[in-house]
Amino acid sequence: MNNKYELIYEGKAKKVFTHDDSDKVIIEFKDDATAFNALKKAKFEGKGRLNCQISARIFELLIKKNIPTHFIKLKNENTMIAQKIKVIPLEIVLRNTAYGSLCKQTNIKPGTVLEKPLIDIYLKNDALNDPLITKDRIQLMNILSAKDLDYVINLTLKINKILKSFFRNIQLNLVDFKLEFGYDLKNNILLGDEISPDNCRLWDLDQKNDMIVSLDKDRFRNDLGGFIEAYSEINRRINNFI
Ligand code: TMP
Ligand code: ASP
């Protein structure tokens, strides 16, 4: 990154830099992959570029459908320009199909299609290992007002409808995903972070048998191999469709 831009924040998968305009930031997508709160770490050449390109296409799709997001435009292969936001320290997970932690913490069988989308909210705090949090605790901690929490939940449900149908068109089952939101300088709530195979579970529908074929970060989490191939396949399908 051009050194006239200052690093504001470095996360596990992205770096955030200042921009010439004080209300904007530059986000650089890294090649690092982490899982289980960074207990597991690796680098995959090309991951940053793929997640940046995939996220950009998906943000563009959501913006067309009137979802407020932080995305402004791509800057280059692995960087984008976004609105500066104050990130709300919550991870909003929506599940259409039971998998992952839901099946570890309950007796619901992996692969069970849920009657209606389930929203699970986690406190974004690595030191506490991102615990599942209740609406009352969110209020208690003054993280969000009841009104803003309802707004974020309704926006997540709306985003699910758009993404589910989009991914179905490219033969992918959107099993679950995690979103993050933030306040811009005018106090509007915007969808932030990224939307990529890092934070969405995507299963291939182009399958002749009932086997689960994950085209997402579960390839890394569960040592399935073919990580970059899976991310490239998602990118290829999106570009062929749009
Ligand atoms: P989980 O089943 O492990 O709770 O994950 C649910 C979804 O959230 C899945 O699509 C992966 C995503 N996720 C993240 O993006 N970041 C995280 O730190 C975790 C734990 C999950
Ligand atoms: N994002 C988390 C980590 O970096 C966990 C995950 O995605 O599984 O460790």
Side-chain angles (χ1 to χ4, degrees):
M1 176 68 54
N2 183 329
N3 58 14
K4 82 172 170 160
Y5 299 116
E6 233 176 272
L7 180 69
I8 306 173
Y9 170 81
E10 179 162 3
K12 288 180 284 219
K14 295 185 287 296
K15 287 181 183 173
V16 181
F17 294 89
T18 54
H19 182 272
D20 297 324
D21 302 338
S22 60
D23 61 342
K24 300 188 178 76
V25 290
I26 301 169
I27 302 175
E28 182 185 310
F29 287 65
K30 306 196 288 185
D31 283 345
D32 303 73
T34 65
F36 314 116
N37 201 10
L39 282 176
K40 188 166 174 175
K41 284 187 209 170
K43 232 184 184 54
F44 294 97
E45 202 187 322
K47 172 186 184 270
R49 178 184 61 82
L50 285 163
N51 276 356
C52 183
Q53 299 296 318
I54 293 169
S55 291
R57 294 282 95 80
I58 293 180
F59 279 129
E60 281 163 1
L61 164 81
L62 293 173
I63 290 166
K64 259 194 227 151
K65 306 270 181 186
N66 293 318
I67 302 291
T69 87
H70 71 156
F71 177 75
I72 299 173
K73 61 177 184 180
L74 278 172
K75 179 170 155 67
N76 63 38
E77 275 204 323
N78 68 334
T79 60
M80 59 172 62
I81 298 172
Q83 302 287 352
K84 186 181 207 162
I85 55 171
K86 188 167 178 293
V87 177
I88 299 165
L90 295 176
E91 302 200 343
I92 317 288
V93 168
L94 183 145
R95 303 176 194 274
N96 292 306
T97 299
Y99 209 65
S101 69
L102 175 62
C103 300
K104 289 186 186 134
Q105 293 163 1
T106 68
N107 54 9
I108 303 171
K109 287 209 172 60
T112 307
V113 177
L114 304 178
E115 252 173 56
K116 61 178 181 111
L118 171 72
I119 303 249
D120 280 336
I121 306 181
Y122 299 84
L123 180 66
K124 186 176 158 67
N125 184 318
D126 282 344
L128 295 175
N129 221 350
D130 297 348
L132 191 60
I133 189 172
T134 62
K135 279 191 180 185
D136 286 346
R137 287 189 188 187
I138 292 171
Q139 243 84 119
L140 181 73
M141 294 173 72
N142 276 322
I143 296 175
L144 268 188
S145 67
K147 178 171 155 275
D148 283 0
L149 182 59
D150 276 349
Y151 176 79
V152 161
I153 291 174
N154 284 326
L155 209 51
T156 302
L157 291 166
K158 217 166 137 189
I159 292 167
N160 181 48
K161 282 195 182 148
I162 299 166
L163 294 186
K164 232 176 109 172
S165 121
F166 172 74
F167 283 123
R168 187 157 288 272
N169 282 328
I170 54 171
Q171 294 303 307
L172 293 166
N173 180 12
L174 178 62
V175 170
D176 56 30
F177 56 89
K178 183 262 302 183
L179 302 179
E180 293 181 19
F181 294 86
Y183 290 96
D184 70 7
L185 299 182
K186 293 179 194 139
N187 244 12
N188 299 306
I189 294 183
L190 307 182
L191 172 66
D193 196 40
E194 64 181 284
I195 305 196
S196 73
D198 262 22
N199 58 352
C200 299
R201 281 200 174 94
L202 296 163
W203 291 354
D204 197 357
L205 287 169
D206 267 349
Q207 274 300 113
K208 299 206 172 44
N209 49 34
D210 278 348
M211 265 190 38
I212 292 170
V213 175
S214 300
L215 296 176
D216 55 57
K217 199 159 97 174
D218 274 347
R219 301 214 71 83
F220 171 63
R221 292 190 190 100
N222 306 331
D223 297 315
L224 302 173
F227 179 89
I228 280 294
E229 291 77 1
Y231 280 48
S232 303
E233 177 61 14
I234 302 286
N235 192 40
R236 189 190 66 78
R237 288 193 200 182
I238 292 175
N239 287 327
N240 282 352
F241 186 75
I242 288 179

